[in-house]
């Protein structure tokens, strides 16, 4: 059967809800999205193209944009085109160019869907993309979920070409004399994907004639396995979890009665950003009060329960100003000038006044914070520092920082930052004491 | 840490039960099994070597055997060596040389374990073997179970090198100046494994420094997922299955109330050799009496149940002789000479006598059988023929074949084989009728 017929069959069977709807097609101008556009044009849908110009390849990027606009014109369909300063966005958000392009593109698509009342976004991912993603995850280490493939349907994003290979798509395009744009960056930007695409996968495909078909079947089987795990976790959830909305309580007793407790803990909690699974697992037998943190959640051992709570943005970002004189809150610091340098203790530091800029700031530490521990040359992550100092989890949670802007001055109760120490040039010495007020 | 220390740690943590036991090491004389032998020699176990000479590489095979005997002598440990006629065994059992070698070797090892009271068999499979097996299964299409890896422990077979890479093993052997035999057939016999080993995996490994470590982690995660499915299936089994020993009954009603019914059916039944999963799945809504077969089992729809029964060896292999004259059993065939060719019907054929050789044979058809349908040039699998002819499952089960040796003469009640038709050279025509006697 020809691709057009197979494609229509695929739509009828797997995406019948698309027929008659308003559909936005993400169109780069490359082979895959151009073929998707032509295929969709022949169905009874109201389609439009959306093209992102990421300004990453100068004239070539502009050429792609012009091409897509021309394609839309020749097919007499609407087109949306937008130019982004991807490099700037990446720098501002401290993410890779690739991540930036991804964020920009999906955010913009979502806006169009909403503003112009399109029902679905269609992307041109195909079977070879899926195979590449499988291999990418495999090289990095993954689990069942990382091997089940790109979803053919995910919220409002539909991928109707996912069943078809690059080869089939190319052949269809050549037979029909379609024009498309070659993206020169395919050869450059994504080292891993290109290494796989150009060196590993061609050899892999040579091993078996029906390898792509077999791969598709494998992914269906893996998805079926994942579905069973999800069903099982539904039962386990009912059995061991209480609470909801703001916090979940896991009944440790009931959880331990089930086999493969650690795997269950992983399935229950991996959506909440935890990464230190040994710590999570140890919590089951830890003393009441012990905690483990992810970036967004905390897990507290409390008698026979683990209590999962979201760390609210408020909590995590709450900052307090510390004036040079007067009361500090929420913890009690006493700041005074000193004529001499005494012994620095855990709860007492001597510091060079000229290096400070009041008001200082007070907040809890966050993962990602780092400082230059007193007596050391280089910087150290706080998480590493706490680990090396063998500071228990319960205590870690309570640790406050004294800062200038985002620069740590003192890990209160533990260690000051070397950059603020008193030197022979210091004209005014400040003595800061931490007066525990609870 | 050096390999020796890592290996000992691995034994202590994962295989503490080996210490002090009588252990048989499968030793080909190649790098991996030689290293395993040296590593085990340093532990407090009573070890012996077992070497199979498969007679596949002439003098080289004999050289391997002499080498292993020499190794055992130098280490002052017992050695078992046996020579097999692998090619003959393969021909006799109609299996590949590789399968033959595998069967011979594991059967022989099991005998030694039993006769000489060894506690475990140790094989030298390592992490790269595991990665190769993962890829082999992937090329063929597989599921979760095919991706969880070679078991490090399986009954009496232990694989204590599975954590270690070929590179680590080679380095250890070179550092210690071990001698071993290179197997020239590594380069030849197993096309797929060698293609992966020599072309695909080296490129794959270049993508990430810690790829083998990541792969190990991936397999652990997949195994954890498989464990959860097994736990879930334990619950499902209790809920929907009754009976036992000779036959299981699956309660269709209860099964259908659970989500992902097809995936559950697969998990419940895939151990019984079924391959036509659509047929199995359709059975849920079929009429009472419909059946699906695997090579070893039948699944019968009976009201609100699926009944799984083993097909006994007796049934499946029972063959009956058909003399040229007299009564045939268990079905009633009438054989007579004929002066003319009449119309061939479903239950009546005309056949060239000189091509037959009495007694003929009568047996039920088996999956794997094929014949040359009357009027066709090429051969066709019976399973394909039945499918094309749209023969219902219930009927398929009852179909008998008339054969000369293993050559199909007539698919009784359906189609004769083209090779036995009457031609202008035929001197005697036989008319065979199938008289339904039930």
């Amino acid at each position: 059967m020809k691709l057009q017929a197979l494609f229509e069959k695929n739509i009828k069977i797997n995406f019948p809800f698309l027929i008659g709807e308003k559909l936005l097609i993400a169109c780069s101008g490359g082979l895959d999205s151009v073929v998707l556009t032509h295929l969709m044009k022949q169905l009874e849908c109201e389609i439009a193209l959306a093209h992102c110009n990421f300004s990453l390849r100068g004239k070539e990027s502009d050429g792609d944009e012009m091409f897509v606009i021309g394609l839309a014109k020749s097919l007499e369909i609407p087109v949306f085109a937008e130019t982004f300063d991807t490099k700037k966005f990446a720098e501002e958000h401290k993410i890779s160019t690739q991540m930036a392009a991804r964020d920009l593109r999906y955010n913009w698509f979502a806006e169009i869907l909403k503003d112009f009342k399109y029902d679905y976004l269609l992307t041109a991912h195909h079977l070879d993309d899926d195979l590449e993603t499988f291999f990418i995850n495999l090289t990095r280490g993954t689990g069942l979920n990382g091997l089940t493939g790109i979803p053919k349907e995910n919220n409002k994003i539909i991928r109707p070409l996912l069943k078809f290979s690059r080869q089939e798509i190319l052949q269809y395009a050549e037979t029909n004399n379609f024009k498309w744009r070659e993206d020169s960056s395919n050869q450059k930007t994504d080292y891993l994907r290109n290494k796989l695409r150009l060196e590993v996968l061609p050899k892999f495909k040579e091993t078996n004639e029906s390898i792509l078909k077999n791969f598709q079947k494998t992914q269906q089987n893996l998805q079926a396995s994942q579905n069973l795990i999800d069903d099982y976790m539904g039962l386990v959830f009912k059995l061991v979890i209480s609470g909801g909305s703001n916090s979940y309580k896991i009944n440790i007793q009931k959880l331990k009665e089930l086999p493969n407790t650690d795997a269950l803990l992983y399935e229950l909690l991996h959506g909440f950003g935890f990464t230190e699974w040994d710590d999570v697992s140890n919590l089951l037998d830890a003393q009441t009060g012990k905690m483990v943190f992810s970036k967004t959640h905390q897990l507290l051992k409390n008698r026979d329960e683990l209590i999962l709570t979201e760390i609210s943005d408020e909590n995590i970002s709450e900052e307090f100003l510390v004036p040079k004189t007067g009361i500090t809150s929420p913890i009690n610091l006493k700041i005074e000038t000193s004529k001499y340098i005494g012994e620095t203790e855990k709860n007492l530091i001597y510091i060079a006044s000229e290096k400070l800029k009041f008001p200082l700031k007070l907040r809890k530490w966050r993962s990602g914070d780092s400082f230059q521990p007193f007596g050391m040359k280089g910087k150290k992550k706080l998480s590493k520092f706490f680990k090396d100092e063998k500071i228990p989890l319960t205590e870690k949670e309570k640790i406050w920082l004294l800062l200038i802007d985002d620069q740590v001055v003192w890990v209160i109760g533990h260690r000051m930052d070397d950059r603020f120490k008193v030197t022979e040039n210091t004209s005014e010495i400040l003595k800061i004491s931490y007066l525990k007020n609870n």
Side-chain angles (χ1 to χ4, degrees), chain A residues 38 43 71 88 119-120 133 138 168 202 228 233 245 248 256 259 263 269-270 273 291 298 366 379 421-422:
Chain A
H38 285 288
L43 300 184
L71 176 66
K88 194 176 156 201
D119 299 298
Y120 297 97
T133 303
L138 192 59
E168 287 173 287
L228 292 184
M233 291 316 296
S245 72
Y248 288 114
K256 280 188 167 180
L269 295 173
H270 78 109
M291 298 177 106
Q298 64 176 38
R366 299 168 189 165
K379 275 202 162 188
K421 71 182 172 198
V422 174

Side-chain angles (χ1 to χ4, degrees), chain A residues 2-4 29-36 38-39 161 165-182:
Chain A
K2 295 239 172 103
L3 187 69
Q4 177 69 33
L31 168 66
D32 311 331
S33 58
V34 165
V35 167
L36 177 62
H38 285 288
L39 286 168
L161 278 181
S165 69
R166 178 177 288 135
Q167 184 53 37
E168 287 173 287
I169 291 168
L170 178 62
Q171 204 177 330
Y172 179 73
E174 285 175 342
T175 309
N176 288 278
N177 283 316
F178 292 153
K179 303 253 174 302
W180 66 89
R181 300 275 294 177
E182 293 290 352

Side-chain angles (χ1 to χ4, degrees), chain A residues 301-361:
Chain A
K301 164 79 183 247
N302 184 31
R303 294 161 192 270
D304 196 37
E305 289 176 338
L306 296 184
I307 303 175
L308 177 75
T309 328
E310 196 174 351
I311 305 172
S312 69
D313 276 356
E314 244 175 46
N315 274 344
I316 211 171
S317 67
E318 207 162 10
E319 297 182 347
F320 304 86
L321 294 181
V322 178
K324 193 164 178 182
T325 54
I327 296 163
T328 67
S329 163
I331 62 168
N332 196 352
L333 297 181
K334 188 176 169 195
I335 303 176
E336 49 196 329
T337 54
S338 170
K339 299 237 163 88
Y340 59 94
I341 310 183
E343 187 90 28
T344 287
E345 296 166 24
K346 280 193 165 188
N347 296 318
L348 169 64
I349 58 168
Y350 293 87
I351 207 162
S353 176
E354 78 274 8
K355 294 178 187 162
L356 301 184
K357 198 172 64 190
F358 283 90
L360 302 176
K361 272 191 335 195

